[in-house]
Structure formats: C-alpha cells, structure tokens
C-alpha cells in the first residue's frame, strides 16, 4: 500500500492555522518602543543620559544576551504562564508543572492514538485503544471518524509503514479538514461506548483539544452541548502548537507528552506473558532484508512494563501512540497481541466487553425498521465488496460464493414448502449503473429473487443521521466539565454524516435466511460479529 501521510511539517494543505481563523496581531508583552517617564527627582540626568550612557547600554546588552539564552527555558515558562495559551508548561512531574490550558483537566492522564484506513479498521483500533487505556489507567481520547483511506499506515508484513509521528500529524490534518468542511463526526457518535463507560474513562477529541489546547472546535458541532464545551478564544498559532503536541513532532513538550514511536516493524505489544523482549515469531525474511535494506527485528514487549508505573512514560500527562491497528499474520499479531488476561480480572472484563462494540441505538433501530417495514419477509443479506483494494481482483470468487449461498437457501425453502421469490438485501460498493454484464444484473432480472437496496439519499437514512447527530453521543459519553454540563449554545450545525454503511450492516444483522460476505472483508467480519451477538431481535 502506498504511503499517503503528511510529511509532518506545519503549513501543509491541512496544517496551516491561517486557514482556520483570520490572523490576529497583538502587541508583545512589555515590548518597549515607548519612553518611560522617570521620577522628577532624576530629571537632571535626562539631558546627558541618551548620549553618555549609550556605550554602557551596549556593553550591558552584549553581556545580557548570552545570559538570556541560558535562561531561555525559564523565560519561556514565564511567558507561557502569562500569555493566553499556557499549555505544555515546563517543570518536573508534580513540581508545579501544568500540562494543558484548562484547570478542568489538571491531574488527568490521557491516551491518544492515530487511526487510519477504512471504518472497520478504525473500529478495530478503537477496541485496542480501550484495552490500552484500561491497562495503563488513562483517559482515552476518542477520535473522529476519518474518511475512507484519508490516512493510511502502509504494509506491516512488508515493513513499509508510516512513522508514528507522521501518522499522528496526518490524523490531525485530516481532522482539521473535517472541521473546515463541517463534516466532523465522532467515533463516539457512531459506536455505542456505553458498554465500557463504567470501567474506562473517555473524552471526546473535540473537547480534549478545546480544553487542553484552547482551540475553537465549534465548527465540528451539530448541537448545543457540543458548542458549549468546544468553544474557545484561540489564536492561529494554537492550532499549530496543538498539532505539534499531539503528533509528537515537538518532542516530549517538557515531559507533558510521551510520543510512542514503537511500531509494527519492531514491536508486538503484550501483557503478562513473561517473555518481555523475546523475538516475535514473524520477522522480515532474508530476501526482504536484502532488497529493502531492512534491519528491523520484531520483539514482544510488555506494554505495562514499558509504559506503565516506573517507566518514563508514566509521568507524562499525554501518552500519544501511532496506529493501534493489528491483525493476525503468519501465526503472529502484526502489532497488538493482548487478547486475554486471566491474571488481571479487570482487564479481562474489558477485553470481553470490547470484543463487540455495537452501533449507536439510532443506527440499530434504523436497520430493524427497514427489515420490518420495507422487506417485511425473511431475507438473505449479501455483502459484496468489489471495488476497494484487493477485492477488485476477486470478483469470480465473490460471485461464486453468492451463487452457492443462493442454491442452499433455495433448497432450504423448498424443504419447508416456502413459495415465492427469495428476498435478498444487497449491499455493495458497485453502483447499480455498473451492474450490466455481471452476475448482479442476472440476479436483478431473475424472477426467483427480489432485491432490496438502500441509498444514502433515502429518507430513512437521512432521518437516522439527523437523529444520531442531535443525540450528541460522542460528547455525552465522556468527560464534560461540571460548570457547563447543562449549558447549550447555538451554533451552525455540521453536515449530516454519511451513515449508509452502518445502516446497511444493521439491516444485514436482521437477515433470518443467512448472510454471505466477501472473503477477507472487515465489513463482512463486522456483520458476522453483529449476528453472533444477536443485535437484531425483530
């Protein structure tokens, strides 16, 4: 997979703060340029001072410049305490250090990560992030839903991946694009986080950067509560400063931020396996090492030992990961291998809860409504992924699986003396206009089948999107400052999100005649999980 990440430099297509707010100019603190009035008793020295003291002043300045450089860190800390943006202050942990602008977040410890690729991959990363936050006792910063492949990682098996800091910068830049285009939607709006609420603390990304960085995030809001908690009187530089902080491009920010640079080329995260530092079973082969000049060695690393109590990361207010995506490959996990914890009951409970995180109630209800009121009959669901990535090369296998499933359903219906056509809900990324000369066109013309589909413009989908955004699940599911918990402010709402995929998955969870999905598709895996957990009960 080709790299499509930001270079990490500010001022890129999504990084320039000038695109977000108009430039603001202000006078420097104690800037000089005006003449200071001296006491009257010293008036007799005024006529001579400008001329006779000039050499002395120059000499003093020459001596002061090196001293000021030596004291620059202290001067910087002073300015940070005076200027409006006071985040990322210096000092040792517990020695008066203040990380972040808002006192509301004082003493909290956060975990942030960089999601990537398609929605199903982003959900997988969210599950792993919940586990990491629980393990390290940190408040999870819940990110937005990113556009499909707007940010990509690369290929872990081929050891061709984006550096963690570049990935975090790319996520920030895309989040700012969503803000400018008013298309922002939180993962907490789409995914129901209530199953983990009692055991893992969360905070919405919009609220976190508004309180921590002091930036105005109201352009990401649909309703009043979000507007009340996401406002701020930010300066243009605050956006760049926040980008630097979250990405880790600015280093550790005086100990306030710990940017995790370990990625899947060198690390597989584990917990309580007693093999910390051991070689992982999957390593780059010799041919790859020679062709790509790769020197990486993959080791299994205990996350709690590396980033928990007693580690350098422990004292940082913000722990910033790159990707947390992982998948099985050649008998190993590509990056995150924490699936059970029999010795730690609390973490085991979390692992069981995140095995399945359902969609928000509005999405589940929409799927049920379509099945009950539109299809009305028992039906089969077919999820056919034909255009994206590797799937465009496997049409034959995908259509073959569908043919076999239809034959099996037809035989089953014949046994039960069923009559009439087989109702089938079709979800596919191939537009109906392109069905001609494919197996889908044959099915559409065949009287033995009755096809049902959904479009983004359908009234059910549009109404569900409006109800979903008005509910403000993303903001309400996590931390809200007490002084504004019941406050609402008017703001211009964001665009309604595209939720067709989520509603389609919900419909498929209701398919009583079964389900057939594209082999290897994470969407198919998501639907299978929903069906396994009996999400739809008509």
């Amino acid at each position: 997979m080709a790299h499509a990440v930001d270079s990490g430099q500010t001022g890129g297509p999504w990084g320039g703060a000038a695109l977000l707010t108009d430039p603001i100019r202000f006078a420097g603190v104690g800037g000089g340029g005006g003449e200071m009035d001296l006491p009257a008793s010293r008036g007799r020295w005024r006529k001579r001072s400008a001329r006779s003291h000039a050499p002395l002043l120059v000499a003093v300045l020459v001596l002061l410049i090196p001293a000021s450089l030596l004291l620059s860190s202290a001067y910087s800390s002073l300015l940070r305490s005076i200027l409006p943006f006071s985040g990322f202050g210096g000092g040792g942990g517990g020695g008066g250090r203040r990380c972040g602008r808002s006192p509301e977040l004082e003493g909290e410890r956060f975990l942030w990560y960089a999601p990537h690729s398609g929605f199903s991959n982003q959900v997988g990363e969210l599950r792993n992030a919940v586990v990491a936050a629980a393990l390290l006792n940190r408040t999870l910063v819940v990110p937005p839903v990113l556009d499909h492949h707007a940010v990509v990682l690369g290929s872990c098996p081929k050891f061709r991946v984006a550096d963690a800091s570049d990935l975090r910068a790319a996520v920030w830049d895309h989040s700012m694009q969503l803000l400018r285009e008013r298309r922002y939607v939180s993962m907490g709006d789409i995914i129901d986080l209530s199953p983990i609420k009692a055991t893992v603390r969360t905070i919405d990304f919009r609220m976190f950067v508004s309180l921590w960085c002091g930036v105005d995030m109201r352009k990401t809001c649909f309703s009043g509560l979000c507007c009340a908690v996401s406002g701020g009187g930010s300066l243009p530089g605050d956006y760049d400063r926040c980008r630097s902080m979250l990405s880790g491009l600015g280093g550790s920010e005086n100990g306030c931020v710990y940017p995790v640079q370990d990625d899947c080329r060198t690390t597989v995260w584990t917990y309580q396996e007693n093999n910390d530092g051991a070689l992982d079973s999957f390593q780059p082969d010799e041919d790859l090492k020679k062709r790509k000049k790769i020197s990486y060695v993959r080791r299994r690393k205990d996350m709690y030992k590396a980033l928990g109590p007693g580690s350098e990361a422990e004292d940082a207010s913000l722990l910033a990961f790159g990707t947390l995506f992982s998948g099985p490959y050649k008998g190993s996990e590509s990056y995150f291998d924490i699936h059970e914890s029999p010795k730690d009951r609390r973490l085991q409970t979390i692992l069981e809860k995140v095995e399945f995180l359902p969609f928000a109630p509005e999405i589940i209800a929409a799927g049920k409504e379509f099945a009950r009121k539109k299809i009305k009959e028992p039906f089969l669901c077919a999820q056919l992924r034909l255009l994206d990535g590797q799937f465009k090369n496997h049409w034959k296998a995908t259509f073959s699986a569908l043919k076999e499933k239809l034959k099996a359903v037809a035989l089953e219906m014949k046994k039960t003396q069923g009559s009439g056509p087989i109702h089938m809900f079709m979800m596919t990324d191939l537009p109906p206009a392109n069905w001609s000369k494919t197996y889908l066109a044959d099915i559409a013309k065949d009287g033995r089948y009755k096809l049902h589909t959904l479009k983004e413009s359908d009234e059910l989908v549009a109404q569900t999107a409006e109800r979903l955004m008005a509910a403000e699940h993303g903001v309400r599911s996590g931390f809200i400052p007490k002084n504004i918990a019941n406050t609402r402010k008017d703001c211009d709402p964001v665009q309604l999100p595209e939720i067709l995929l989520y509603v389609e998955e919900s419909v498929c969870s209701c398919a009583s005649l079964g389900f057939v999905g594209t082999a290897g598709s994470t969407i198919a895996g998501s639907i299978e999980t929903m069906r396994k957990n009996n999400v739809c009960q008509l």
Side-chain angles (χ1 to χ4, degrees):
M1 185 181 298
H3 289 206
V5 296
D6 187 89
S7 65
Q9 301 300 314
T10 58
W14 312 129
L19 295 175
L20 297 166
T21 55
D22 293 331
I24 299 175
R25 300 180 180 275
F26 57 97
V29 177
E35 184 175 343
M36 182 181 294
D37 289 331
L38 297 176
S41 61
R42 297 183 60 190
R44 64 192 182 97
W45 295 102
R46 286 185 182 179
K47 181 178 280 190
R48 298 181 53 195
S49 62
R51 182 180 304 164
S52 61
H53 288 199
L56 179 61
L57 288 173
V58 170
V60 170
L61 286 173
V62 169
L63 292 173
L64 284 177
I65 287 173
S68 67
L69 291 175
L70 291 173
L71 297 174
S72 60
S73 61
Y75 181 64
S76 176
S77 299
L78 176 62
L79 281 182
R80 291 175 189 271
S81 67
I82 295 173
L83 293 176
F85 191 91
S86 58
F88 325 137
R97 179 184 65 185
R98 179 175 174 183
C99 300
R101 177 173 180 173
S102 173
E104 291 278 358
L105 304 184
E106 196 73 25
E108 283 292 324
R109 297 162 62 255
F110 301 95
L111 185 149
W112 141 258
Y113 68 102
H116 72 91
S117 296
F119 177 76
S120 297
N121 284 354
Q122 294 173 44
V123 173
E125 289 181 90
L126 175 65
R127 291 200 298 263
N128 289 340
V130 170
V131 174
L135 177 62
L136 300 172
N137 193 26
R138 287 181 175 270
T139 299
L140 175 63
V141 180
V142 180
V145 177
L146 308 185
D147 289 344
H148 188 71
H149 284 183
V151 177
V152 296
L153 169 68
S155 174
C156 279
K158 295 181 180 179
F159 291 77
R160 189 179 65 242
V161 301
D163 288 334
S165 56
D166 290 338
L167 203 61
R168 288 187 290 261
V171 170
W172 170 267
D173 293 341
H174 184 60
S175 300
M176 294 302 101
Q177 177 191 0
L178 296 174
L179 177 148
R180 289 191 298 274
E181 297 175 359
R182 294 187 178 274
R183 296 190 298 109
Y184 190 103
V185 58
S186 172
M187 285 296 290
D189 291 324
I190 304 300
I191 299 298
D192 184 2
L193 298 180
S194 61
I196 65 167
K197 191 170 184 178
T199 46
V200 177
R201 302 182 306 278
T202 63
I203 183 171
D204 191 86
F205 174 83
R206 294 166 291 187
M207 187 176 303
F208 175 72
V209 299
S210 177
L211 293 174
W212 180 283
C213 303
V215 301
D216 191 337
M217 296 292 288
R218 283 174 293 185
K219 288 184 179 180
T220 63
C221 295
F222 186 86
S223 295
L225 178 60
C226 176
C227 286
V229 300
S230 300
S234 54
L235 301 173
D238 292 346
Y239 289 91
D240 285 340
R241 191 188 296 266
C242 199
R243 180 186 191 270
S244 176
M245 180 271 292
L246 287 181
S247 66
L249 292 171
S252 64
E253 295 288 355
N254 294 324
C256 288
V257 182
Y258 186 90
V260 178
Q261 294 301 109
D262 305 77
D263 59 36
C264 59
R265 292 172 291 191
T266 62
T267 304
V268 179
W269 291 115
T270 65
Y271 178 56
Q272 292 184 337
E273 285 194 0
N274 297 322
N275 62 353
D276 187 39
L279 291 175
D280 186 64
S281 61
F282 174 68
Q283 302 288 341
D285 59 40
E286 293 303 318
D287 179 60
L288 188 63
K289 287 181 179 180
K290 291 178 181 178
R291 284 190 296 109
K292 301 296 184 179
K293 298 181 179 179
I294 287 175
S295 60
Y296 300 116
V297 175
R298 281 165 52 88
R299 295 188 180 277
R300 300 180 71 78
K301 183 181 290 189
D302 190 299
M303 179 175 284
Y304 190 74
K305 290 181 180 179
L307 304 173
S311 69
E312 182 183 352
E314 169 69 8
D315 289 336
S317 292
L318 179 68
L319 180 66
F321 278 92
T323 178
L324 280 171
F325 175 76
S326 188
Y329 187 80
K330 291 189 176 181
S332 180
E333 277 284 349
S334 60
Y335 186 56
F336 193 91
D337 195 8
I338 304 176
H339 302 292
E340 60 178 359
S341 182
K343 300 177 184 178
D344 189 330
R345 188 59 215 168
R346 176 177 173 271
L347 188 61
Q348 182 63 35
T349 300
I350 291 293
L351 287 165
E352 293 168 359
K353 287 182 180 295
V354 301
E355 185 178 354
F356 171 60
L357 291 176
F359 285 120
E362 291 81 1
I363 296 173
I364 300 295
K368 292 181 180 180
E369 181 179 347
F370 187 83
R372 186 173 59 250
K373 295 184 179 180
K374 297 294 183 180
I375 302 179
K376 300 179 182 179
E377 301 286 342
F379 67 97
L380 167 74
C381 173
Q383 177 264 336
L384 307 179
R385 197 168 177 181
L386 302 170
L387 297 181
D388 183 41
Q390 61 171 319
F391 304 107
K392 61 180 178 288
N393 300 318
H394 298 97
W395 284 29
K396 184 177 180 180
T398 299
F399 288 145
S400 177
L402 177 57
K403 288 178 183 178
E404 292 302 315
K405 185 66 176 180
L406 286 173
K407 287 180 182 178
V409 171
L411 287 174
E412 187 65 28
M413 289 184 66
K414 191 174 182 179
K415 289 179 183 179
T416 58
Q417 297 181 342
S419 60
I422 296 175
H423 289 260
M424 179 165 51
F425 178 72
M426 180 75 67
M427 60 177 295
T428 178
D429 53 358
L430 185 67
N434 297 338
W435 285 11
S436 59
K437 298 181 181 181
T438 71
Y439 181 52
L440 296 183
D442 297 338
I443 292 177
K445 297 174 185 176
D446 196 327
R448 293 176 297 172
Y449 311 113
K450 183 173 177 58
L451 294 186
H452 304 269
T453 60
L454 265 173
K455 300 189 297 293
E456 196 77 53
S457 59
D458 286 349
E459 184 178 10
L460 172 65
V461 179
Q463 289 179 347
T464 301
E466 188 166 357
R467 288 195 294 268
L468 183 70
M469 296 305 286
E472 298 190 290
H473 294 304
V475 171
R476 295 181 185 278
S477 61
F479 170 83
I480 300 176
K482 294 179 180 178
N483 61 328
I484 52 178
N486 298 313
T487 304
R488 299 181 66 84
K489 290 184 179 179
D490 294 332
C491 62
D492 296 329
V494 297
Q495 296 181 35
L496 291 175
E498 295 181 354
I499 64 167
L500 176 61
L501 172 65
Y502 320 137
V503 176
E504 286 180 324
E505 290 188 28
S506 183
V507 173
C508 284
S509 72
C510 299
S512 57
L513 294 184
F515 167 70
V516 57
T518 301
S521 170
T522 51
I523 297 173
S526 174
I527 295 170
E528 293 280 17
T529 303
M530 293 175 71
R531 294 175 61 80
K532 176 183 175 182
N533 285 272
N534 298 314
V535 167
C536 183
Q537 297 179 357
L538 297 175

